[in-house]
């Protein structure tokens, strides 16, 4: 289904008009799938999103004898006969989220062997915070030949203080503490909404977790978890991508299943442009025409601040806005690989250290470009829709990791994007 040899051909110059329903969040789905390993009953996730990252995680679960199948618009997961197998390099090289499973396996089996994770090449992406956290809970962690061997025979509840609020390490440590006897306190944790979703899911299964969404999470260990039904939160990054696309290209777009509380920093930036924004309940309508004024300064930071996962899309908007802008990347060290691709299309951007200095141009022009990571790929689609002429984007498999049929979604809004096999 996810062909590595595909390209998107984007015909520029069409406005985006119409309605879209926001899909469930990939970044909430992945840890929740990993957390199913903890459950002794059947899980039903009532919504589903067809992404290659989700498929990878299902394959990892299958290797642990955790079966999943799609039905009734959602996905059933059955971990009743879970086995504690080694998670091989072959399985983990595709998604970084594979490392989440280590916390769940430790909690359920007191032992885990997991290969170092892969994922988008947007920085060094070490796993030291996971390892430090596991060690604080008494796990003997040995790193050898590309694997981490986690021996948890002497695991105990305790206190973990994170040096940096890592999303994945926070989620993995929540899972790790869920079936531990006693109370574990996690401090300086990430506050992302996807962590709240994981907490809500686990609590429905019988866990006792509180504090997600703040910088301290308390996990009171329970003996076992049962099955449940759960609806995964909407994808705030996908929503933000569509909003930034409409602001860049122009048009009138209504998004359903939108949650303002997850996207306040983005909306406050969009309010600095000339876009008209109307939010009612769980819908948002954005109308944009002509060039937007530049936003002087955007800095990515952990939630609730502007997300790194929308930085590339914001860079595209600033590239064609009126004025100049400085975009600072503070979460990942290698997230400007899109810049040379945008410059091929006529953008004027100079990268100095962790900041991109953008001088807005009136027009972009179609070019042959390469998607270098998931969000950069989506940003290039936006640039292609704005540009004069045709843009050919290769490495589409990156985009398929996090956007369900992006060409059809934008196509429903009037864009002309073709997927071709090469
Ligand atoms: C998650 C998201 C990803 C998003 C990122 C930041 C998922 C599946 N992915 O990734 O889309 O871009 O949050 O919002 O939810 N770090 C360390 N040591 C560690 C762990 C992380 O130094 O052990 C560093 C990373 O290299 C990075 C920073 O911490 O510079 C943030 O990473 P983290 O919050 O862990 O991101 P992910 O969970 O990988």
């Amino acid at each position: 289904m996810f062909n590595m040899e595909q390209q998107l051909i984007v015909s520029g110059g069409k406005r985006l008009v119409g309605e879209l329903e926001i899909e469930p969040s990939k970044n909430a789905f992945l840890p929740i799938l990993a957390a199913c390993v903890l459950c002794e009953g059947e899980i039903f996730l009532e919504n589903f999103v067809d992404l290659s990252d989700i498929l990878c995680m299902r394959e990892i679960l299958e290797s642990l004898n955790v079966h999943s199948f799609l039905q009734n618009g959602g996905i059933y997961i059955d971990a009743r006969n879970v086995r504690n197998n080694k998670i091989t390099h072959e399985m983990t090289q595709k998604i970084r989220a594979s490392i989440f499973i280590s916390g769940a396996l430790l909690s359920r089996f007191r032992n885990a062997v997991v290969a170092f994770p892969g994922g988008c090449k947007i920085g060094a992406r070490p796993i030291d915070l996971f390892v430090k956290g596991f060690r604080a809970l008494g796990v003997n962690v040995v790193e050898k030949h590309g694997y981490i061997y986690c021996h948890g025979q002497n695991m105990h509840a305790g206190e973990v203080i994170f040096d940096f609020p890592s999303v994945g390490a926070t989620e993995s440590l929540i899972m790790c503490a869920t079936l531990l006897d006693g109370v574990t306190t996690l401090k300086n944790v990430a506050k992302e909404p996807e962590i709240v979703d994981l907490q809500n899911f686990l609590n429905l299964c019988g866990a006792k977790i509180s504090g997600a969404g703040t910088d301290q999470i308390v996990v009171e260990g329970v003996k076992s978890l049962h099955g449940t039904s759960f609806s995964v939160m909407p994808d705030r990054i996908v929503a933000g991508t569509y909003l930034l696309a409409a602001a860049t290209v122009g048009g009138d777009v209504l998004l359903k299943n939108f949650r303002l509380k997850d996207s306040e920093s983005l909306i406050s930036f969009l309010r600095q442009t000339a876009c008209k924004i109307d939010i009612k309940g769980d819908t948002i309508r954005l109308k944009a025409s002509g060039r937007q004024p530049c936003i002087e300064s955007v800095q990515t930071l952990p939630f609730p601040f502007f997300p790194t996962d929308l930085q590339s899309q914001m860079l595209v908007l600033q590239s064609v806005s009126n004025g100049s802008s400085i975009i600072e990347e503070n979460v990942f060290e290698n997230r400007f690989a899109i810049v040379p691709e945008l410059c091929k299309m006529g953008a004027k951007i100079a990268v100095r250290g962790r900041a991109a200095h953008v001088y807005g141009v009136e027009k972009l022009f179609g070019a042959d470009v390469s998607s270098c990571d998931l969000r950069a790929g989506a940003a290039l689609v936006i640039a292609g829709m704005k540009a004069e002429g045709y843009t050919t984007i290769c490495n589409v498999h990156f985009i398929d990791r996090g956007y369900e049929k992006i060409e059809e979604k934008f196509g429903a809004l009037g864009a002309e994007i073709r997927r071709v096999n090469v």
Side-chain angles (χ1 to χ4, degrees):
M1 178 184 31
F2 297 105
N3 191 331
M4 306 290 271
E5 301 291 325
Q6 292 186 328
Q7 292 180 341
L8 292 178
I9 301 176
V10 186
S11 162
K14 315 276 182 306
R15 292 173 79 243
L16 296 176
V17 178
E19 294 183 9
L20 271 187
E21 170 113 17
I22 297 305
E23 58 212 45
S25 160
K26 165 183 88 78
N27 286 353
F29 229 106
L30 290 171
I32 287 173
L33 284 176
C36 289
V37 163
L38 297 168
C39 301
E40 288 171 24
E42 197 180 51
I43 304 294
F44 180 53
L45 301 177
E46 294 158 11
N47 44 6
F48 183 70
V49 57
D50 192 10
L51 302 171
S52 58
D53 267 15
I54 305 268
L55 191 65
C56 288
M57 186 57 98
R58 288 179 64 196
E59 282 168 10
I60 291 175
L61 290 179
E62 196 60 44
S63 77
L64 300 171
N65 204 37
V66 175
H67 306 300
S68 60
F69 61 95
L70 305 182
Q71 205 174 53
N72 304 327
I75 179 168
Y76 287 89
I77 302 115
D78 185 354
R80 277 175 290 194
N81 299 311
V82 56
R83 283 194 223 119
N84 190 12
N85 295 329
K86 181 175 176 177
I87 311 284
T88 62
H89 175 72
E90 197 197 4
M91 284 183 266
T92 62
Q93 64 183 336
K94 292 189 203 144
I95 48 167
R96 166 135 180 122
S98 52
I99 188 73
F100 298 167
I101 216 105
S102 52
L105 287 174
L106 268 171
S107 205
R108 184 110 190 229
F109 295 105
R110 308 291 136 125
N111 195 63
V113 182
V114 182
F116 274 93
C120 282
K121 304 284 175 273
I122 52 182
R125 306 191 86 174
I127 55 167
D128 55 310
L129 300 170
F130 292 73
V131 171
K132 214 172 153 189
F134 293 154
R135 285 187 176 142
L137 300 184
V139 181
N140 174 19
V141 185
V142 181
E143 298 176 46
K144 213 170 45 185
H145 310 311
Y147 279 82
I148 53 165
Y149 293 79
C150 305
H151 307 290
Q153 290 79 3
N154 300 319
M155 274 170 83
H156 51 75
E159 185 176 270
V160 178
I161 304 172
F162 289 93
D163 300 330
F164 180 87
S166 154
V167 176
T170 300
E171 291 167 338
S172 208
L173 265 295
I174 289 176
M175 294 183 219
C176 186
T178 295
L179 300 178
L180 269 190
D181 201 16
V183 177
T184 296
T185 308
L186 309 175
K187 291 184 175 171
N188 192 29
V189 293
K191 300 180 211 152
E192 268 67 1
E194 293 76 14
I195 297 169
V196 180
D197 226 39
L198 175 66
Q199 170 182 283
N200 292 343
F201 166 74
L202 284 170
N203 283 347
L204 276 177
C205 298
K208 288 191 180 154
I209 307 165
S210 59
T214 74
D215 62 5
Q216 180 166 311
I217 294 175
V218 177
V219 184
E220 205 183 310
V222 295
K223 291 241 169 316
S224 62
L225 295 188
H226 49 75
T228 193
S229 288
F230 187 73
S231 181
V232 177
M233 64 176 275
D235 197 314
R236 65 192 169 100
I237 305 300
V238 169
T241 301
Y242 291 134
L243 292 171
L244 286 164
T248 304
V249 177
D252 184 351
V253 167
L254 184 124
L255 302 181
K256 295 179 186 163
N257 208 15
F258 173 80
R259 298 199 322 194
L260 176 61
K261 64 177 177 176
D262 300 339
S263 298
E264 273 173 355
S265 71
L266 169 68
I267 298 305
S268 71
F269 278 122
L270 285 172
R271 289 203 196 276
Q272 293 178 35
T273 68
C275 298
K276 269 193 74 187
I277 296 166
D278 190 14
I279 301 170
K280 282 200 188 98
D282 68 349
T283 67
I284 179 165
R285 183 171 177 188
L286 183 142
K287 286 198 245 179
S289 58
R291 273 179 99 190
Q292 303 302 322
C294 262
I295 300 168
E296 262 174 46
S297 160
V298 179
Q299 300 184 323
T300 69
L301 281 169
F303 191 84
F305 300 103
F306 189 75
T308 174
D309 284 353
L310 288 176
Q311 183 257 99
S312 300
Q313 303 87 316
M314 178 60 97
L315 194 61
V316 174
L317 172 61
Q318 297 314 304
S319 297
V320 293
S321 292
N322 196 0
S324 62
S325 173
I326 297 178
I327 299 193
E328 203 177 288
E329 173 57 56
N330 296 305
V331 180
F332 290 106
E333 61 271 30
N334 188 20
R335 231 175 180 177
F336 288 130
I338 188 179
V339 168
E341 304 304 297
L342 289 177
C343 290
K344 275 191 215 166
M345 300 177 74
K348 286 196 178 157
I349 307 169
V351 176
R352 290 183 207 126
R354 54 173 65 224
H357 296 248
V358 188
Y359 308 92
V361 294
E362 274 187 48
K363 278 186 184 173
L364 294 179
F365 301 93
D368 291 349
V369 290
S370 175
S371 155
C372 35
D373 70 67
L374 155 59
R375 306 302 171 185
L380 287 172
V381 173
I382 300 175
M385 292 190 295
K386 177 68 180 172
E388 251 181 49
Y390 289 92
T391 297
T392 302
I393 303 170
C394 67
N395 277 336
V396 174
H397 61 95
F398 278 122
I399 304 175
D400 293 332
R401 295 184 50 188
Y403 294 86
E404 192 178 38
K405 302 186 187 91
I406 197 166
E407 69 280 18
E408 289 179 22
K409 296 280 169 75
F410 277 126
L413 299 177
E416 250 181 55
I417 306 173
R418 272 190 309 129
R419 184 182 286 258
V420 293
N421 290 317
V422 287

